[in-house]
Amino acid sequence: MCGIVGYIGKRVAIPILVDGLKKLEYRGYDSAGVAVIDQDKLLVSKSVGKLVALEEELGENYSQSCLGIGHTRWATHGRPSFVNAHPHIDCKQEFAVVHNGIIENYLEIKESLIEKGHQFVSETDTEVLAHLVEEFYDGNLEEAVRKVIGTIRGSYAMVVLSLKDPDKLVAARKDSPMVVGLGEGEFFVASDITAILSYTRKVYILDDGEMVVVTEDGVKITDFQGNPCSKEVYDVKWDAVAAEKGGYEHFMLKEIHEQPKALADTMMSRLKDDRVVLEEVALTPEQLAQINKVYIVACGTAWHAGLVGKTLIERWAHLPVEVDIASEFRYRSPLIDEHTLVVVISQSGETADTLAALREAKNRGAHVFAVTNVVGSTVSREAHDVIFTWAGPEIAVASTKAYITQLEGMVLLGLYLAQIKGTLPQDKITEIITALKKIPEQAKAVLAQESLIKELAQSFVNVEDAFFIGRSLDWAVAMEGALKLKEISYIHAEAYAAGELKHGTLALVTEQTPIIALATQRDVFDKTVSNVKEVKARDARVIGLTYQGNTSLAKSVDHVIYIPETIDELAPLLAVIPLQLLSYYASVARGCDVDKPRNLAKSVTVE
Ligand code: M6R
């Protein structure tokens, strides 16, 4: 949520800042800005809208300064506007600040600063930071920032630039990610590794409660009290190319096509001799024997992966599972203790609500297992155990390859727990693993139907509402299909357990309402077909989805999308792909901004 980048070195800063912001635009894109120190002036350029507007504003004759900060914004406090765009500056235009997060006590601070004569121009919480630095500055920027930290409450990753100290950047982190990139005689700060990947793969990952002073000579990391912190350099494995579009028109399409590889990478090395081997996991059989309940906690798409996980863990490991939305979890005093296993799922590993749920679970004594895509993310560092999904950087706001690998993470976890608990016979485990190994190739076969799905998507151009229905695991996948469609094409879409439609929602079904009916779960196939007939009787146009070789669904629907045969528990891994493509092409056909849908941001690092 919002993106930060800062540079100090020998190169001209602005192109590096803009390049970094381009990589971060997926985190927020309603306005952007940069600030540099140019001789004896603090120069700030901002613009509303996407980054291209800032590039136009900067033109070709931009400052040649080698020190600067930049920001791309996703509005929380104050609407998207020029004055609310970052960087924010103080009254004397000596300090510039970029910030991600929320300063909870900004109103009281603002009032007291106004009483002292400070003049504010924006509606943001961030602006108080610039005025506070101005207020506290006494010749030492680091100390001034430390005093600011002592005054504010909330979450922040912030970077401060000072005209009075034109040789340094000072940054601090609490509950919002921040890394420091180490180059040759040059340094970077960024909210996200992807911003600086083209320049360096060596980073320090700041922990909460740490601040950093970066000069051309090096990096000094301390805690908020000023005690030095020793950190290990983290070598990023992702390469810069993985975060480029690579010839695709949109990141989302590229990421959809990367799914077979992501699936193979995530399972590879974890399947040995027809067993799931999670060498990274510390949970012992003795600890697991004490577990009597599992909670899966996540947001959005990751929560949908959790819904599939519930069925798999209950079915295979015979443990009761509750799936909670992270933003609700901690406010309802969940009944968890040391006998509970809490599984958090998060692509970014930085989602504020998921992180808060993780901490709540730990406070209550639960063992926390994380499924995340970002090595070094806060979730990965705070959980007791981690299964990394090896999807590579996901840039499009709409999650695709991360979701599919989260599903795979659920399969691996479900089998792993079943193995330890002895709840599945080996021949069943062998059958599942054999089927799982085929999934990457089968995913390629689904992708080969892209042109058919593209054609179906054309009929969504003028659609206002759509329903996704299914039973059992199909219902969970239907939820993901509906979310994908609404977030990138702005078509109102809902998912229903197929049997539930007649309890009210059927009243909304007309011939204008496309229904996407998932029918992969063999034990409820006939019942799903009955529900399809109910909507057909109301003249709805139905697109069905089932296994190749199942000829009966075609008789009840208008179009059928086929996926290769697999075992029902693994069907979500294939069934979701056509739904992603359908949403993608519906979005393109409707002229929407696929990778950067309105009002959304990739990582939601505020509550
Ligand atoms: O990074 P996370 O997996 O924690 O993100 C959770 C949700 O914000 C995310 O899945 C969101 O729902 C996606 N944009 C949906 O495509």
Side-chain angles (χ1 to χ4, degrees), residues 147-179:
K147 284 185 183 154
V148 173
I149 288 166
T151 311
I152 56 178
R153 274 198 322 271
S155 60
Y156 44 86
M158 65 165 133
V159 191
V160 186
L161 182 67
S162 159
L163 186 59
K164 298 187 168 195
D165 305 70
D167 59 347
K168 67 174 67 155
L169 295 171
V170 177
R173 168 197 170 144
K174 180 176 169 281
D175 294 335
S176 192
M178 168 128 302
V179 298

PDB file of all heavy atoms in Angstrom, residues 147-179:
ATOM      1  N   LYS A 147      13.021  11.669  17.700  1.00  0.00           N
ATOM      2  CA  LYS A 147      12.018  12.374  18.520  1.00  0.00           C
ATOM      3  C   LYS A 147      10.642  12.293  17.867  1.00  0.00           C
ATOM      4  O   LYS A 147       9.622  12.185  18.549  1.00  0.00           O
ATOM      5  CB  LYS A 147      12.430  13.838  18.698  1.00  0.00           C
ATOM      6  CG  LYS A 147      13.554  13.998  19.695  1.00  0.00           C
ATOM      7  CD  LYS A 147      13.860  15.456  19.949  1.00  0.00           C
ATOM      8  CE  LYS A 147      15.051  15.572  20.890  1.00  0.00           C
ATOM      9  NZ  LYS A 147      15.783  16.813  20.748  1.00  0.00           N
ATOM     10  N   VAL A 148      10.614  12.336  16.551  1.00  0.00           N
ATOM     11  CA  VAL A 148       9.323  12.192  15.845  1.00  0.00           C
ATOM     12  C   VAL A 148       8.723  10.842  16.208  1.00  0.00           C
ATOM     13  O   VAL A 148       7.536  10.730  16.543  1.00  0.00           O
ATOM     14  CB  VAL A 148       9.515  12.310  14.314  1.00  0.00           C
ATOM     15  CG1 VAL A 148       8.216  11.983  13.591  1.00  0.00           C
ATOM     16  CG2 VAL A 148      10.007  13.701  13.935  1.00  0.00           C
ATOM     17  N   ILE A 149       9.566   9.820  16.145  1.00  0.00           N
ATOM     18  CA  ILE A 149       9.087   8.462  16.440  1.00  0.00           C
ATOM     19  C   ILE A 149       8.522   8.389  17.858  1.00  0.00           C
ATOM     20  O   ILE A 149       7.517   7.714  18.109  1.00  0.00           O
ATOM     21  CB  ILE A 149      10.248   7.447  16.258  1.00  0.00           C
ATOM     22  CG1 ILE A 149      10.531   7.298  14.763  1.00  0.00           C
ATOM     23  CG2 ILE A 149       9.943   6.110  16.891  1.00  0.00           C
ATOM     24  CD1 ILE A 149      11.837   6.606  14.452  1.00  0.00           C
ATOM     25  N   GLY A 150       9.151   9.111  18.764  1.00  0.00           N
ATOM     26  CA  GLY A 150       8.666   9.123  20.149  1.00  0.00           C
ATOM     27  C   GLY A 150       7.338   9.854  20.299  1.00  0.00           C
ATOM     28  O   GLY A 150       6.669   9.724  21.327  1.00  0.00           O
ATOM     29  N   THR A 151       6.947  10.594  19.299  1.00  0.00           N
ATOM     30  CA  THR A 151       5.728  11.398  19.390  1.00  0.00           C
ATOM     31  C   THR A 151       4.539  10.740  18.708  1.00  0.00           C
ATOM     32  O   THR A 151       3.395  10.951  19.090  1.00  0.00           O
ATOM     33  CB  THR A 151       5.985  12.777  18.712  1.00  0.00           C
ATOM     34  OG1 THR A 151       7.197  13.309  19.224  1.00  0.00           O
ATOM     35  CG2 THR A 151       4.851  13.748  18.947  1.00  0.00           C
ATOM     36  N   ILE A 152       4.836   9.962  17.669  1.00  0.00           N
ATOM     37  CA  ILE A 152       3.724   9.445  16.854  1.00  0.00           C
ATOM     38  C   ILE A 152       3.291   8.058  17.316  1.00  0.00           C
ATOM     39  O   ILE A 152       4.056   7.318  17.926  1.00  0.00           O
ATOM     40  CB  ILE A 152       4.114   9.392  15.354  1.00  0.00           C
ATOM     41  CG1 ILE A 152       5.401   8.560  15.147  1.00  0.00           C
ATOM     42  CG2 ILE A 152       4.290  10.791  14.798  1.00  0.00           C
ATOM     43  CD1 ILE A 152       5.829   8.418  13.691  1.00  0.00           C
ATOM     44  N   ARG A 153       2.014   7.740  16.962  1.00  0.00           N
ATOM     45  CA  ARG A 153       1.490   6.384  17.147  1.00  0.00           C
ATOM     46  C   ARG A 153       1.006   5.901  15.791  1.00  0.00           C
ATOM     47  O   ARG A 153       0.516   6.704  14.997  1.00  0.00           O
ATOM     48  CB  ARG A 153       0.286   6.405  18.083  1.00  0.00           C
ATOM     49  CG  ARG A 153       0.587   6.324  19.531  1.00  0.00           C
ATOM     50  CD  ARG A 153      -0.651   5.898  20.334  1.00  0.00           C
ATOM     51  NE  ARG A 153      -1.897   6.472  19.843  1.00  0.00           N
ATOM     52  CZ  ARG A 153      -2.414   7.625  20.219  1.00  0.00           C
ATOM     53  NH1 ARG A 153      -1.768   8.361  21.107  1.00  0.00           N
ATOM     54  NH2 ARG A 153      -3.555   8.066  19.725  1.00  0.00           N
ATOM     55  N   GLY A 154       1.132   4.627  15.547  1.00  0.00           N
ATOM     56  CA  GLY A 154       0.595   4.104  14.297  1.00  0.00           C
ATOM     57  C   GLY A 154       1.606   3.232  13.586  1.00  0.00           C
ATOM     58  O   GLY A 154       2.474   2.628  14.205  1.00  0.00           O
ATOM     59  N   SER A 155       1.473   3.167  12.275  1.00  0.00           N
ATOM     60  CA  SER A 155       2.367   2.315  11.492  1.00  0.00           C
ATOM     61  C   SER A 155       3.089   3.186  10.485  1.00  0.00           C
ATOM     62  O   SER A 155       2.510   4.141   9.957  1.00  0.00           O
ATOM     63  CB  SER A 155       1.556   1.238  10.770  1.00  0.00           C
ATOM     64  OG  SER A 155       0.621   1.832   9.913  1.00  0.00           O
ATOM     65  N   TYR A 156       4.325   2.855  10.239  1.00  0.00           N
ATOM     66  CA  TYR A 156       5.057   3.673   9.275  1.00  0.00           C
ATOM     67  C   TYR A 156       6.292   2.984   8.721  1.00  0.00           C
ATOM     68  O   TYR A 156       6.962   2.223   9.394  1.00  0.00           O
ATOM     69  CB  TYR A 156       5.489   5.019   9.884  1.00  0.00           C
ATOM     70  CG  TYR A 156       6.056   4.932  11.285  1.00  0.00           C
ATOM     71  CD1 TYR A 156       7.386   4.658  11.491  1.00  0.00           C
ATOM     72  CD2 TYR A 156       5.218   5.092  12.389  1.00  0.00           C
ATOM     73  CE1 TYR A 156       7.897   4.561  12.777  1.00  0.00           C
ATOM     74  CE2 TYR A 156       5.720   4.985  13.681  1.00  0.00           C
ATOM     75  CZ  TYR A 156       7.065   4.714  13.868  1.00  0.00           C
ATOM     76  OH  TYR A 156       7.562   4.601  15.137  1.00  0.00           O
ATOM     77  N   ALA A 157       6.502   3.267   7.438  1.00  0.00           N
ATOM     78  CA  ALA A 157       7.827   3.168   6.838  1.00  0.00           C
ATOM     79  C   ALA A 157       8.002   4.577   6.314  1.00  0.00           C
ATOM     80  O   ALA A 157       7.161   5.067   5.562  1.00  0.00           O
ATOM     81  CB  ALA A 157       7.817   2.166   5.701  1.00  0.00           C
ATOM     82  N   MET A 158       9.018   5.267   6.783  1.00  0.00           N
ATOM     83  CA  MET A 158       9.184   6.659   6.323  1.00  0.00           C
ATOM     84  C   MET A 158      10.646   6.923   5.973  1.00  0.00           C
ATOM     85  O   MET A 158      11.554   6.306   6.522  1.00  0.00           O
ATOM     86  CB  MET A 158       8.715   7.661   7.376  1.00  0.00           C
ATOM     87  CG  MET A 158       9.521   7.650   8.642  1.00  0.00           C
ATOM     88  SD  MET A 158       9.172   9.122   9.622  1.00  0.00           S
ATOM     89  CE  MET A 158       8.940   8.408  11.236  1.00  0.00           C
ATOM     90  N   VAL A 159      10.805   7.836   5.029  1.00  0.00           N
ATOM     91  CA  VAL A 159      12.154   8.271   4.676  1.00  0.00           C
ATOM     92  C   VAL A 159      12.160   9.790   4.689  1.00  0.00           C
ATOM     93  O   VAL A 159      11.224  10.435   4.183  1.00  0.00           O
ATOM     94  CB  VAL A 159      12.571   7.789   3.270  1.00  0.00           C
ATOM     95  CG1 VAL A 159      14.066   8.043   3.060  1.00  0.00           C
ATOM     96  CG2 VAL A 159      12.270   6.326   3.066  1.00  0.00           C
ATOM     97  N   VAL A 160      13.208  10.345   5.293  1.00  0.00           N
ATOM     98  CA  VAL A 160      13.300  11.795   5.443  1.00  0.00           C
ATOM     99  C   VAL A 160      14.531  12.302   4.694  1.00  0.00           C
ATOM    100  O   VAL A 160      15.618  11.725   4.792  1.00  0.00           O
ATOM    101  CB  VAL A 160      13.404  12.187   6.937  1.00  0.00           C
ATOM    102  CG1 VAL A 160      13.357  13.704   7.094  1.00  0.00           C
ATOM    103  CG2 VAL A 160      12.285  11.538   7.733  1.00  0.00           C
ATOM    104  N   LEU A 161      14.315  13.390   3.975  1.00  0.00           N
ATOM    105  CA  LEU A 161      15.379  14.048   3.215  1.00  0.00           C
ATOM    106  C   LEU A 161      15.489  15.454   3.784  1.00  0.00           C
ATOM    107  O   LEU A 161      14.463  16.102   4.032  1.00  0.00           O
ATOM    108  CB  LEU A 161      14.910  14.088   1.758  1.00  0.00           C
ATOM    109  CG  LEU A 161      15.813  14.666   0.692  1.00  0.00           C
ATOM    110  CD1 LEU A 161      17.030  13.773   0.514  1.00  0.00           C
ATOM    111  CD2 LEU A 161      15.046  14.744  -0.631  1.00  0.00           C
ATOM    112  N   SER A 162      16.747  15.933   3.977  1.00  0.00           N
ATOM    113  CA  SER A 162      16.907  17.229   4.619  1.00  0.00           C
ATOM    114  C   SER A 162      17.871  18.108   3.841  1.00  0.00           C
ATOM    115  O   SER A 162      18.971  17.676   3.505  1.00  0.00           O
ATOM    116  CB  SER A 162      17.422  17.004   6.054  1.00  0.00           C
ATOM    117  OG  SER A 162      18.040  18.167   6.532  1.00  0.00           O
ATOM    118  N   LEU A 163      17.430  19.331   3.611  1.00  0.00           N
ATOM    119  CA  LEU A 163      18.287  20.306   2.942  1.00  0.00           C
ATOM    120  C   LEU A 163      19.516  20.617   3.792  1.00  0.00           C
ATOM    121  O   LEU A 163      20.584  20.937   3.293  1.00  0.00           O
ATOM    122  CB  LEU A 163      17.453  21.578   2.710  1.00  0.00           C
ATOM    123  CG  LEU A 163      18.057  22.698   1.910  1.00  0.00           C
ATOM    124  CD1 LEU A 163      18.445  22.237   0.520  1.00  0.00           C
ATOM    125  CD2 LEU A 163      17.048  23.847   1.809  1.00  0.00           C
ATOM    126  N   LYS A 164      19.326  20.486   5.117  1.00  0.00           N
ATOM    127  CA  LYS A 164      20.422  20.819   6.027  1.00  0.00           C
ATOM    128  C   LYS A 164      21.442  19.697   6.141  1.00  0.00           C
ATOM    129  O   LYS A 164      22.504  19.886   6.725  1.00  0.00           O
ATOM    130  CB  LYS A 164      19.855  21.136   7.405  1.00  0.00           C
ATOM    131  CG  LYS A 164      18.932  22.336   7.359  1.00  0.00           C
ATOM    132  CD  LYS A 164      18.532  22.716   8.747  1.00  0.00           C
ATOM    133  CE  LYS A 164      17.867  24.076   8.702  1.00  0.00           C
ATOM    134  NZ  LYS A 164      17.763  24.681  10.006  1.00  0.00           N
ATOM    135  N   ASP A 165      21.058  18.510   5.685  1.00  0.00           N
ATOM    136  CA  ASP A 165      21.985  17.360   5.717  1.00  0.00           C
ATOM    137  C   ASP A 165      21.976  16.749   4.317  1.00  0.00           C
ATOM    138  O   ASP A 165      21.423  15.665   4.123  1.00  0.00           O
ATOM    139  CB  ASP A 165      21.498  16.293   6.705  1.00  0.00           C
ATOM    140  CG  ASP A 165      21.265  16.835   8.086  1.00  0.00           C
ATOM    141  OD1 ASP A 165      20.290  17.611   8.234  1.00  0.00           O
ATOM    142  OD2 ASP A 165      22.012  16.489   8.983  1.00  0.00           O
ATOM    143  N   PRO A 166      22.582  17.463   3.348  1.00  0.00           N
ATOM    144  CA  PRO A 166      22.394  17.016   1.958  1.00  0.00           C
ATOM    145  C   PRO A 166      23.269  15.826   1.580  1.00  0.00           C
ATOM    146  O   PRO A 166      23.627  15.663   0.429  1.00  0.00           O
ATOM    147  CB  PRO A 166      22.775  18.268   1.162  1.00  0.00           C
ATOM    148  CG  PRO A 166      23.693  19.023   2.047  1.00  0.00           C
ATOM    149  CD  PRO A 166      23.401  18.660   3.463  1.00  0.00           C
ATOM    150  N   ASP A 167      23.591  15.005   2.579  1.00  0.00           N
ATOM    151  CA  ASP A 167      24.440  13.847   2.302  1.00  0.00           C
ATOM    152  C   ASP A 167      23.849  12.579   2.900  1.00  0.00           C
ATOM    153  O   ASP A 167      24.523  11.589   3.062  1.00  0.00           O
ATOM    154  CB  ASP A 167      25.837  14.072   2.907  1.00  0.00           C
ATOM    155  CG  ASP A 167      25.756  14.298   4.412  1.00  0.00           C
ATOM    156  OD1 ASP A 167      24.624  14.522   4.923  1.00  0.00           O
ATOM    157  OD2 ASP A 167      26.800  14.232   5.085  1.00  0.00           O
ATOM    158  N   LYS A 168      22.568  12.605   3.252  1.00  0.00           N
ATOM    159  CA  LYS A 168      22.026  11.401   3.900  1.00  0.00           C
ATOM    160  C   LYS A 168      20.518  11.264   3.728  1.00  0.00           C
ATOM    161  O   LYS A 168      19.803  12.236   3.428  1.00  0.00           O
ATOM    162  CB  LYS A 168      22.367  11.390   5.387  1.00  0.00           C
ATOM    163  CG  LYS A 168      21.714  12.465   6.207  1.00  0.00           C
ATOM    164  CD  LYS A 168      21.986  12.284   7.704  1.00  0.00           C
ATOM    165  CE  LYS A 168      23.445  12.507   8.048  1.00  0.00           C
ATOM    166  NZ  LYS A 168      23.637  12.916   9.458  1.00  0.00           N
ATOM    167  N   LEU A 169      20.081  10.033   3.939  1.00  0.00           N
ATOM    168  CA  LEU A 169      18.647   9.736   4.055  1.00  0.00           C
ATOM    169  C   LEU A 169      18.471   9.088   5.418  1.00  0.00           C
ATOM    170  O   LEU A 169      19.318   8.295   5.837  1.00  0.00           O
ATOM    171  CB  LEU A 169      18.212   8.719   2.997  1.00  0.00           C
ATOM    172  CG  LEU A 169      18.290   9.129   1.534  1.00  0.00           C
ATOM    173  CD1 LEU A 169      18.028   7.915   0.641  1.00  0.00           C
ATOM    174  CD2 LEU A 169      17.253  10.219   1.256  1.00  0.00           C
ATOM    175  N   VAL A 170      17.392   9.427   6.094  1.00  0.00           N
ATOM    176  CA  VAL A 170      17.088   8.744   7.355  1.00  0.00           C
ATOM    177  C   VAL A 170      15.734   8.068   7.195  1.00  0.00           C
ATOM    178  O   VAL A 170      14.765   8.688   6.741  1.00  0.00           O
ATOM    179  CB  VAL A 170      17.067   9.720   8.547  1.00  0.00           C
ATOM    180  CG1 VAL A 170      16.685   8.981   9.832  1.00  0.00           C
ATOM    181  CG2 VAL A 170      18.431  10.378   8.716  1.00  0.00           C
ATOM    182  N   ALA A 171      15.687   6.776   7.517  1.00  0.00           N
ATOM    183  CA  ALA A 171      14.439   6.021   7.343  1.00  0.00           C
ATOM    184  C   ALA A 171      14.135   5.254   8.625  1.00  0.00           C
ATOM    185  O   ALA A 171      15.036   4.950   9.417  1.00  0.00           O
ATOM    186  CB  ALA A 171      14.577   5.061   6.175  1.00  0.00           C
ATOM    187  N   ALA A 172      12.850   4.938   8.811  1.00  0.00           N
ATOM    188  CA  ALA A 172      12.444   4.181   9.994  1.00  0.00           C
ATOM    189  C   ALA A 172      11.284   3.280   9.638  1.00  0.00           C
ATOM    190  O   ALA A 172      10.520   3.565   8.716  1.00  0.00           O
ATOM    191  CB  ALA A 172      12.033   5.138  11.107  1.00  0.00           C
ATOM    192  N   ARG A 173      11.170   2.214  10.402  1.00  0.00           N
ATOM    193  CA  ARG A 173      10.121   1.245  10.115  1.00  0.00           C
ATOM    194  C   ARG A 173       9.371   0.786  11.368  1.00  0.00           C
ATOM    195  O   ARG A 173       9.977   0.422  12.366  1.00  0.00           O
ATOM    196  CB  ARG A 173      10.750   0.001   9.467  1.00  0.00           C
ATOM    197  CG  ARG A 173       9.755  -1.135   9.412  1.00  0.00           C
ATOM    198  CD  ARG A 173      10.298  -2.486   9.172  1.00  0.00           C
ATOM    199  NE  ARG A 173       9.170  -3.396   9.416  1.00  0.00           N
ATOM    200  CZ  ARG A 173       8.914  -4.493   8.764  1.00  0.00           C
ATOM    201  NH1 ARG A 173       9.707  -4.888   7.829  1.00  0.00           N
ATOM    202  NH2 ARG A 173       7.857  -5.223   9.056  1.00  0.00           N
ATOM    203  N   LYS A 174       8.055   0.830  11.296  1.00  0.00           N
ATOM    204  CA  LYS A 174       7.220   0.156  12.299  1.00  0.00           C
ATOM    205  C   LYS A 174       5.957  -0.335  11.603  1.00  0.00           C
ATOM    206  O   LYS A 174       5.178   0.464  11.069  1.00  0.00           O
ATOM    207  CB  LYS A 174       6.860   1.107  13.440  1.00  0.00           C
ATOM    208  CG  LYS A 174       6.002   0.435  14.483  1.00  0.00           C
ATOM    209  CD  LYS A 174       5.709   1.337  15.665  1.00  0.00           C
ATOM    210  CE  LYS A 174       4.642   0.725  16.540  1.00  0.00           C
ATOM    211  NZ  LYS A 174       3.290   0.918  16.008  1.00  0.00           N
ATOM    212  N   ASP A 175       5.765  -1.617  11.540  1.00  0.00           N
ATOM    213  CA  ASP A 175       4.566  -2.235  10.959  1.00  0.00           C
ATOM    214  C   ASP A 175       4.345  -1.924   9.485  1.00  0.00           C
ATOM    215  O   ASP A 175       3.200  -1.944   9.013  1.00  0.00           O
ATOM    216  CB  ASP A 175       3.310  -1.841  11.756  1.00  0.00           C
ATOM    217  CG  ASP A 175       3.326  -2.408  13.155  1.00  0.00           C
ATOM    218  OD1 ASP A 175       4.004  -3.427  13.353  1.00  0.00           O
ATOM    219  OD2 ASP A 175       2.670  -1.827  14.033  1.00  0.00           O
ATOM    220  N   SER A 176       5.379  -1.582   8.789  1.00  0.00           N
ATOM    221  CA  SER A 176       5.248  -1.371   7.347  1.00  0.00           C
ATOM    222  C   SER A 176       6.621  -1.660   6.738  1.00  0.00           C
ATOM    223  O   SER A 176       7.631  -1.148   7.235  1.00  0.00           O
ATOM    224  CB  SER A 176       4.820   0.078   7.070  1.00  0.00           C
ATOM    225  OG  SER A 176       4.429   0.212   5.733  1.00  0.00           O
ATOM    226  N   PRO A 177       6.688  -2.493   5.710  1.00  0.00           N
ATOM    227  CA  PRO A 177       7.995  -2.988   5.282  1.00  0.00           C
ATOM    228  C   PRO A 177       8.943  -1.944   4.727  1.00  0.00           C
ATOM    229  O   PRO A 177       8.521  -0.941   4.148  1.00  0.00           O
ATOM    230  CB  PRO A 177       7.646  -4.001   4.186  1.00  0.00           C
ATOM    231  CG  PRO A 177       6.243  -3.757   3.820  1.00  0.00           C
ATOM    232  CD  PRO A 177       5.576  -3.062   4.947  1.00  0.00           C
ATOM    233  N   MET A 178      10.234  -2.207   4.903  1.00  0.00           N
ATOM    234  CA  MET A 178      11.275  -1.302   4.399  1.00  0.00           C
ATOM    235  C   MET A 178      12.573  -2.082   4.259  1.00  0.00           C
ATOM    236  O   MET A 178      12.953  -2.832   5.155  1.00  0.00           O
ATOM    237  CB  MET A 178      11.432  -0.145   5.386  1.00  0.00           C
ATOM    238  CG  MET A 178      12.651   0.688   5.151  1.00  0.00           C
ATOM    239  SD  MET A 178      12.306   2.450   5.020  1.00  0.00           S
ATOM    240  CE  MET A 178      11.193   2.607   3.706  1.00  0.00           C
ATOM    241  N   VAL A 179      13.223  -1.908   3.106  1.00  0.00           N
ATOM    242  CA  VAL A 179      14.514  -2.560   2.902  1.00  0.00           C
ATOM    243  C   VAL A 179      15.545  -1.518   2.502  1.00  0.00           C
ATOM    244  O   VAL A 179      15.202  -0.436   2.014  1.00  0.00           O
ATOM    245  CB  VAL A 179      14.448  -3.657   1.803  1.00  0.00           C
ATOM    246  CG1 VAL A 179      13.497  -4.767   2.183  1.00  0.00           C
ATOM    247  CG2 VAL A 179      14.066  -3.070   0.449  1.00  0.00           C
TER     248      VAL A 179
END
